[in-house]
Amino acid sequence: MTSVANHDILHATTQSFVEAAPAVYREVCGLVGSAAAYLLSRHLAARPEPLFIVAANLRQAERLAAELSFYHGRPQQIALLPHWEIGPYEALSPRPDIEAARVVTLAALQAGELRAVVLTVRSLMQRVMPAAVLTGLREELQTGSEVSREALLTRLVALGYHSVPLVEDQGTFSVRGDILDVFPSTEEQPVRVEFFGDQIERMRPFDAASQRSDPCLLRRLQLLPAREMVLAGAHLEHFCQALKQRCDQLNIARTQREALLEEIREGLLAPGHAFLMPLNYGVLDSFFDYAQEIGLWVIVDPPAVEQETDRFAAEIREGEQRMAGRGELHVAAHELFLDPRQIATALENRPRVDLCALELLRLDVQRPRYRFVVQGNGDLRQNAEPGSLAAHLATRLQALSDDGWRVLLVCHQQGQAERLQDLLEPHGLRLPLSEGLKPESVPPGRMALTLGDLSTGFRLPDEKLAVIGEEEIFGRRSRRRGLSEARARAMLSSLAELREGDYVVHADHGIGIYRGLLHLAAGQVEGDYLHLEYAGQDKLYLPVERIEKVQKYHGGEGHVPRLDRMGGNAWEKAKLKARAAVEELARELLQLYARRSMSQAFRYSPPDHLFREFEAAFPYEETPDQQAAIDEVLADMQSERPLDRLICGDVGYGKTEVAIRAAYKAVLDNRQVAVLVPTTVLARQHWQSFLDRLQGCPVTVEMVSRFRSVAEQKAVLKRAAAGQVDILIGTHRLLQRDVRFKDLGLVIVDEEQRFGVSHKERLKKLRAEVDMLTLTATPIPRTLHMSLLGLRNLSAIDTPPVDRQAIRTYVTRFDDDLIRQAVLRELRRGGQVFFVHNRVQSIDAMAGFLCSLVPEARIAVGHGQMPEKALEGVMLDFIEGRSNVLVCSTIIENGLDIPRANTIIVNRADCFGLSQLYQLRGRVGRSDRRAYAYLLIPGEGALTREARERLRVLQELTELGAGFRI
């Protein structure tokens, strides 16, 4: 079999391929869906050698690693080696979590703990820290062992860990008496190490949010370098010496050299200096040095891999030439990266398999070629009539089962699996949920349901095996990362919100200052206490177990509150004053809500199979609090009291889906829905969102706004009055008296606080007559008071979607090349860019500068001082893709949802408040693509202390980690 000519094609099954005699170079074609991961999992089960799998890009590598983990069944043996996600020689720093993941993967491979490593082309081409150095930087702690605490702390610093007051991020540690808190890169939670003298008494993981220890005890704890560059001890001295020599070679000014050395000795590494890593260790290794000669290399889609290799090599050359042309400190490209020729040479004599979707004819290569007859499942909703998805699916599944097929259905989460069970059970298919099930364990002619990280499946006709992912049933889904149960419970009262010097509010004693966390012993009782300081230097030591009594003080930006005195009456007076204000507000609203509560509401029917099919097609996984909000709204609609609920959640957290489900339920019960939004741009966006989500459903959605002509508006309003429009979306135009509905049942208001007084009076009258659902990211105090008093029901959506977690945020100096590369990177992948310049006087000049810097871009300018129609035209052009770079003021900070816009550059970020920066950053990352936010600041001397603090907090919010400093 090893001497088969290039044109010879071997028909294969998974078993025949795995059992075939090994060859240096083989090719497999015909694989679709997740069949490649399934084939590789069978290879891992049958053979001892590890797999090294190379994919063209990170998205493909992540998907393949997840699918292989599912089929293999032991995800701890599958690892992903990510790349830095910054361009060669860019003036940016790689994220600490990415560096930690790379170190952990290399260490696990070195220790023989991995069966498969998935790499991108960029991570394969980038050199890594030497294997010999990594071996010497391991540290292991064992319960009961003797360890000098001082030596251990020195060792942690040598491994790149930073000392902090409170451990929240990987790569940090904190010491309190006999307790060492440390967050290793190898663990998902920080670990509390308790000493008795120099003996490790016990080690327990603890929750970074609540700081409460887990009862589970650890026997061993491995400590690895927190970053790839270890600037401590002998490595620091080597780096400084090599740096001086490199500066001499490049004729770098002595003052610049000395300033850099001083920064590094203080533990600071400026953005872009991670590319000086060869100076840290001398000569770097490649991944091939770690893999040695023991594994099988798998190239996924070789043409794409070759194309990405050439593209990255070109970026490396451009980056090196740019640094050399500017006379800046850098190391040679060959010290940091492998070139395509070196990659080809390294793979030449290693066992290799190419996975190709299509058969490629290469006359110059002789190798066995295996063809698999694999079919994709496609979209199983195809040809299904509205409301008949369950019957259609049950028929197709039953036909496979009757023909002797083994059928495995895979859902991402239990809630979606339960929905699938509910849909199929009325049609005679009862599928018990079995966790950890593999395709080969399903008997012939049977169907099974399991949970797993699998997007698409496949069908192998020769083996009569069908694996079906939930996206093939319900459509493409994007998953959200939820919070841990412990963190969700501690969301509002977490120690993670507090830092020494913060103002806090105690329920009984009022406003004080948080002075830190102390470990105290009172008699025979030991514990952790919050140290609070009040006026007159009064002190309160509050046990951590009673942290619910305390919350962080939130006031206007820059406002300094007056401290209360313990035992004084000022705090009690303040509470009485607040109580009186609330009572006055309640009296004002009593008549309205008395009328509302006494009125007989329309009781909606319970959700039927049509509604269940609709919610199953939601292209995201509901977070727990989003699902709770949906359930609460549906329960309100089925009750005798009119619906009046406030949905509060940050931008992009899923409020619109709550509204869409409520609207669809109302339409199913033959009631009309009005959706009220504050701007014409948002009206158009909501219109498109409702149309996309309700596609294929028997629902008519229309819009009235200035984007439509007067004649079109009249026609739509006439149809609404006749009951021919189910959902009508518009601005305050919907509140005018000529707007009539045949049977209006539900009004949805987006950001009510942005409407004027006259509009709110009209809304009050509507609220007394119909069901009301209000959406907001920033509720005004009055609305929040009403919700807290129970006059209006409140649902809070606190869990961020995974895309929000994925935004890569960088704080860096204004740099022409950095801006050009950031814009071009986004434009090359078909995206759009926000460039925020909040000075109207010079915004046109900035747009002109960007035109000369990036002539490839189509640049538009938008700001609040433009005529309203002109601004609407600019925004509409950007939304519809006619321009791809928008130079704008802060007008974009609320409401815009443009999935193609995934890069934002904020000029003079130090001039913005923290809330503004957070809102601006929320304009990107609204799709499943990686999003980037660049916060541009002037030279360090121009930053005020307040600006430094804002940027530091934003770094923590965006998970930049403790290792990065400005």
Side-chain angles (χ1 to χ4, degrees):
M1 187 176 295
T2 58
S3 61
V4 179
N6 180 66
H7 60 274
D8 291 335
I9 299 175
L10 304 176
H11 184 72
T13 64
T14 54
Q15 193 69 21
S16 64
F17 174 79
V18 169
E19 293 178 350
V24 173
Y25 192 3
R26 290 179 287 172
E27 183 178 289
V28 177
C29 56
L31 300 177
V32 297
S34 59
Y38 177 67
L39 175 65
L40 296 177
S41 72
R42 296 295 301 272
H43 188 280
L44 287 177
R47 295 184 177 275
E49 66 267 17
L51 297 177
F52 305 114
I53 307 164
V54 183
N57 54 62
L58 184 60
R59 185 174 180 180
Q60 186 182 33
E62 289 174 336
R63 185 178 70 247
L64 188 56
E67 292 171 347
L68 183 56
S69 296
F70 167 72
Y71 287 122
H72 182 56
R74 290 181 287 277
Q76 70 277 7
Q77 295 181 351
I78 313 297
L80 172 72
L81 184 71
H83 57 259
W84 279 358
E85 295 191 28
I86 57 178
Y89 299 102
E90 280 191 352
L92 298 172
S93 295
R95 285 172 55 92
D97 59 327
I98 291 179
E99 288 195 86
R102 287 168 57 85
V103 171
V104 170
T105 298
L106 293 174
L109 177 60
Q110 198 177 44
E113 299 169 356
L114 298 179
R115 296 297 321 281
V117 180
V118 185
L119 310 93
T120 65
V121 167
R122 294 178 179 240
S123 54
L124 180 62
M125 294 180 69
Q126 182 178 337
R127 293 186 180 272
V128 295
M129 63 190 306
V133 172
L134 182 55
T135 301
L137 289 175
R138 293 170 179 267
E139 186 75 27
E140 186 174 276
L141 303 181
Q142 294 188 21
T143 301
S145 62
E146 294 279 345
V147 178
S148 169
R149 282 184 293 170
E150 294 303 320
L152 178 57
L153 297 181
T154 303
R155 183 65 169 163
L156 285 173
V157 173
L159 291 175
Y161 288 75
H162 291 271
S163 177
V164 295
L166 193 70
V167 170
E168 301 172 281
D169 303 305
Q170 285 186 327
T172 61
F173 71 93
S174 174
V175 181
R176 292 178 287 111
D178 292 335
I179 294 177
L180 167 67
D181 288 347
V182 61
F183 202 153
S185 54
T186 54
E187 301 292 326
E188 294 184 358
Q189 284 187 306
V191 177
R192 184 157 291 153
V193 183
E194 301 177 28
F195 284 87
F196 183 77
D198 280 343
Q199 185 182 46
I200 298 178
E201 191 172 26
R202 58 177 173 260
M203 296 186 292
R204 296 180 292 176
F206 67 92
D207 188 271
S210 66
Q211 295 288 301
R212 293 177 179 172
S213 299
D214 194 297
C216 174
L217 296 178
L218 300 178
R219 299 192 62 183
R220 288 183 174 83
L221 178 65
Q222 186 182 42
L223 300 175
L224 294 173
R227 306 291 291 265
E228 291 184 77
M229 287 182 67
V230 179
L231 295 174
H235 296 297
L236 175 59
E237 294 306 316
H238 186 282
F239 182 88
C240 294
Q241 188 62 35
L243 182 82
K244 293 176 183 178
Q245 295 174 3
R246 185 59 177 168
C247 287
D248 290 339
Q249 294 172 2
L250 298 175
N251 295 319
I252 302 296
R254 188 177 186 85
T255 53
Q256 183 181 347
R257 175 195 315 180
E258 294 302 324
L260 179 58
L261 287 171
E262 184 179 352
E263 276 188 0
I264 290 170
R265 288 196 174 99
E266 291 178 358
L268 304 177
L269 193 65
H273 287 169
F275 291 103
L276 299 176
M277 191 163 66
L279 306 181
N280 197 197
Y281 303 118
V283 178
L284 300 182
D285 281 351
S286 71
F287 183 81
F288 293 104
D289 296 313
Y290 280 81
Q292 299 177 357
E293 305 286 341
I294 58 174
L296 173 66
W297 286 80
V298 180
I299 312 299
V300 182
D301 193 358
V305 168
E306 291 174 10
Q307 185 179 19
E308 181 63 19
T309 301
D310 293 338
R311 183 186 296 117
F312 189 48
E315 289 182 25
I316 294 169
R317 288 193 299 271
E318 291 173 7
E320 185 180 26
Q321 293 168 3
R322 183 174 66 248
M323 297 294 285
R326 294 164 58 176
E328 294 190 8
L329 177 62
H330 68 285
V331 298
H334 71 268
E335 298 182 55
L336 273 168
F337 305 100
L338 301 178
D339 61 37
R341 187 174 55 256
Q342 290 173 302
I343 297 287
T345 301
L347 289 175
E348 195 170 85
N349 296 317
R350 286 178 163 86
R352 170 179 169 181
V353 173
D354 286 359
L355 301 184
C356 311
L358 302 175
E359 294 179 16
L360 302 176
L361 184 61
R362 297 184 182 180
L363 300 177
D364 58 329
V365 180
Q366 300 290 319
R367 76 274 192 179
R369 174 180 291 178
Y370 297 85
R371 175 193 287 161
F372 281 82
V373 179
V374 184
Q375 300 170 353
N377 294 306
D379 188 349
L380 297 182
R381 299 172 299 172
Q382 192 173 3
N383 301 324
E385 297 294 330
S388 64
L389 171 63
H392 180 75
L393 178 61
T395 301
R396 296 187 65 172
L397 293 177
Q398 191 63 58
L400 287 172
S401 179
D402 292 343
D403 197 29
W405 284 65
R406 293 176 288 143
V407 181
L408 179 64
L409 294 97
V410 186
C411 290
H412 286 304
Q413 62 175 184
Q414 187 164 342
Q416 196 73 346
E418 291 172 353
R419 280 200 194 104
L420 183 59
Q421 289 174 317
D422 292 340
L423 289 174
L424 295 178
E425 189 169 347
H427 300 278
L429 294 183
R430 295 192 175 184
L431 300 179
L433 180 61
S434 305
E435 295 191 23
L437 204 59
K438 289 187 177 183
E440 55 268 26
S441 61
V442 180
R446 300 293 297 274
M447 289 179 280
L449 176 64
T450 191
L451 300 179
D453 196 354
L454 188 71
S455 299
T456 57
F458 60 90
R459 273 188 273 179
L460 288 176
D462 290 342
E463 301 180 29
K464 287 202 169 183
L465 171 64
V467 179
I468 301 174
E470 69 171 57
E471 294 184 7
E472 296 164 310
I473 301 173
F474 300 120
R476 192 163 179 264
R477 301 174 67 80
S478 296
R479 282 161 288 130
R480 302 169 184 257
R481 181 182 295 120
L483 299 175
S484 67
E485 184 180 351
R487 182 159 187 170
R489 288 196 306 265
M491 175 66 74
L492 299 178
S493 58
S494 163
L495 270 179
E497 295 181 353
L498 300 179
R499 298 198 170 274
E500 290 190 35
D502 284 349
Y503 290 96
V504 295
V505 181
H506 190 285
D508 300 325
H509 304 293
I511 299 175
I513 300 177
Y514 173 65
R515 293 302 187 191
L517 191 67
L518 301 176
H519 186 77
L520 302 176
Q524 309 224 342
V525 179
E526 291 188 29
D528 295 326
Y529 296 83
L530 278 71
H531 177 196
L532 308 181
E533 183 179 300
Y534 288 86
Q537 295 187 339
D538 292 343
K539 294 181 177 60
L540 174 67
Y541 297 99
L542 182 72
V544 169
E545 291 76 14
R546 301 184 65 189
I547 192 175
E548 70 278 357
K549 286 274 189 182
V550 177
Q551 62 178 322
K552 188 174 181 179
Y553 173 83
H554 296 283
E557 191 165 332
H559 173 67
V560 178
R562 188 171 64 179
L563 299 183
D564 289 308
R565 184 181 294 274
M566 291 183 64
N569 57 7
W571 178 242
E572 289 300 324
K573 288 182 179 179
K575 290 197 292 185
L576 289 173
K577 185 178 178 180
R579 189 175 294 115
V582 169
E583 290 174 355
E584 182 180 350
L585 175 65
R587 282 194 298 271
E588 176 187 337
L589 298 170
L590 181 60
Q591 183 177 6
L592 171 63
Y593 285 93
R595 283 178 56 198
R596 187 169 171 78
S597 62
M598 292 174 63
S599 62
Q600 184 68 32
F602 178 84
R603 297 187 64 178
Y604 293 88
S605 62
D608 56 9
H609 72 283
L610 280 173
F611 186 83
R612 293 305 182 196
E613 287 184 12
F614 173 74
E615 66 179 3
F618 180 45
Y620 296 89
E621 289 184 4
E622 299 89 346
T623 56
D625 41 8
Q626 184 189 29
Q627 185 62 56
I630 293 169
D631 293 340
E632 288 163 353
V633 169
L634 293 177
D636 288 348
M637 295 177 75
Q638 296 171 57
S639 70
E640 295 181 352
R641 289 189 60 185
L643 167 69
D644 191 8
R645 182 170 289 276
L646 173 67
I647 308 296
C648 182
D650 204 350
V651 288
Y653 277 33
K655 302 185 297 294
T656 302
E657 175 64 18
V658 180
I660 290 176
R661 294 200 192 181
Y664 186 59
K665 186 71 196 77
V667 172
L668 288 179
D669 283 15
N670 300 313
R671 304 289 295 243
Q672 289 175 288
V673 180
V675 182
L676 187 64
V677 298
T679 68
T680 51
V681 173
L682 281 179
R684 186 180 183 87
Q685 286 196 348
H686 274 297
W687 184 42
Q688 193 61 52
S689 298
F690 273 71
L691 285 174
D692 292 344
R693 183 70 176 91
L694 293 164
Q695 187 177 14
C697 298
V699 180
T700 303
V701 184
E702 285 291 356
M703 175 189 69
V704 289
S705 76
R706 282 196 302 272
F707 286 134
R708 312 196 78 172
S709 66
V710 175
E712 287 176 326
Q713 291 187 45
K714 285 184 177 179
V716 168
L717 294 178
K718 183 177 179 180
R719 292 170 57 208
Q724 297 171 357
V725 174
D726 298 311
I727 300 175
L728 183 59
I729 301 170
T731 59
H732 58 275
R733 176 74 176 86
L734 293 183
L735 299 176
Q736 296 177 5
R737 297 190 179 278
D738 65 326
V739 178
R740 298 281 187 272
F741 292 89
K742 182 179 181 181
D743 190 4
L744 181 62
L746 174 65
V747 175
I748 300 170
V749 184
D750 191 9
E751 300 294 354
E752 181 180 1
Q753 74 275 9
R754 297 181 63 187
F755 290 92
V757 175
S758 60
H759 301 144
K760 290 181 180 178
E761 290 300 319
R762 175 67 175 148
L763 286 174
K764 277 186 183 180
K765 294 179 181 178
L766 280 176
R767 184 170 281 115
E769 301 167 359
V770 298
D771 290 328
M772 296 287 294
L773 183 64
T774 304
L775 315 177
T776 183
T778 53
I780 57 178
R782 178 187 178 110
T783 302
L784 202 53
H785 277 151
M786 292 162 60
S787 298
L788 295 175
L789 286 170
L791 295 174
R792 299 179 69 181
N793 294 321
L794 170 69
S795 296
I797 303 179
D798 294 319
T799 309
V802 67
D803 293 333
R804 279 292 179 270
Q805 303 285 346
I807 298 174
R808 298 300 192 228
T809 306
Y810 302 99
V811 181
T812 185
R813 310 283 184 252
F814 191 102
D815 182 274
D816 294 3
D817 288 327
L818 174 66
I819 295 171
R820 173 172 167 78
Q821 293 303 319
V823 173
L824 286 179
R825 180 191 294 116
E826 189 60 54
L827 298 188
R828 286 189 190 114
R829 60 178 184 171
Q832 295 173 284
V833 179
F834 291 115
F835 189 99
V836 180
H837 181 84
N838 204 35
R839 298 182 187 275
V840 174
Q841 297 85 350
S842 57
I843 195 169
D844 289 324
M846 179 57 71
F849 165 75
L850 290 175
C851 283
S852 61
L853 186 65
V854 194
E856 301 91 337
R858 301 188 303 275
I859 296 176
V861 177
H863 56 80
Q865 294 183 21
M866 295 174 64
E868 189 173 4
K869 288 193 175 181
L871 178 59
E872 287 177 0
V874 168
M875 301 306 294
L876 186 59
D877 284 346
F878 189 70
I879 290 171
E880 296 185 350
R882 289 187 284 272
S883 58
N884 51 23
V885 176
L886 180 63
V887 183
C888 58
S889 62
T890 54
I891 57 170
I892 66 165
E893 68 178 309
N894 285 312
L896 280 183
D897 185 2
I898 305 176
R900 287 192 302 269
N902 282 302
T903 293
I904 184 169
I905 303 172
V906 182
N907 191 26
R908 287 305 303 265
D910 56 302
C911 297
F912 292 87
L914 177 61
S915 61
Q916 278 186 306
L917 289 173
Y918 190 71
Q919 287 285 340
L920 288 170
R921 192 184 65 94
R923 293 306 99 215
V924 295
R926 311 303 294 269
S927 69
D928 56 358
R929 286 192 173 189
R930 178 74 73 206
Y932 298 90
Y934 299 88
L935 308 182
L936 306 183
I937 59 176
E940 184 162 346
L943 287 180
T944 64
R945 189 178 68 84
E946 292 78 8
R948 283 173 167 277
E949 179 64 17
R950 284 197 298 271
L951 293 171
R952 180 190 66 79
V953 173
L954 187 68
Q955 288 169 13
E956 293 170 359
L957 289 175
T958 55
E959 298 182 352
L960 283 177
F964 181 90
R965 295 189 179 92
I966 300 172

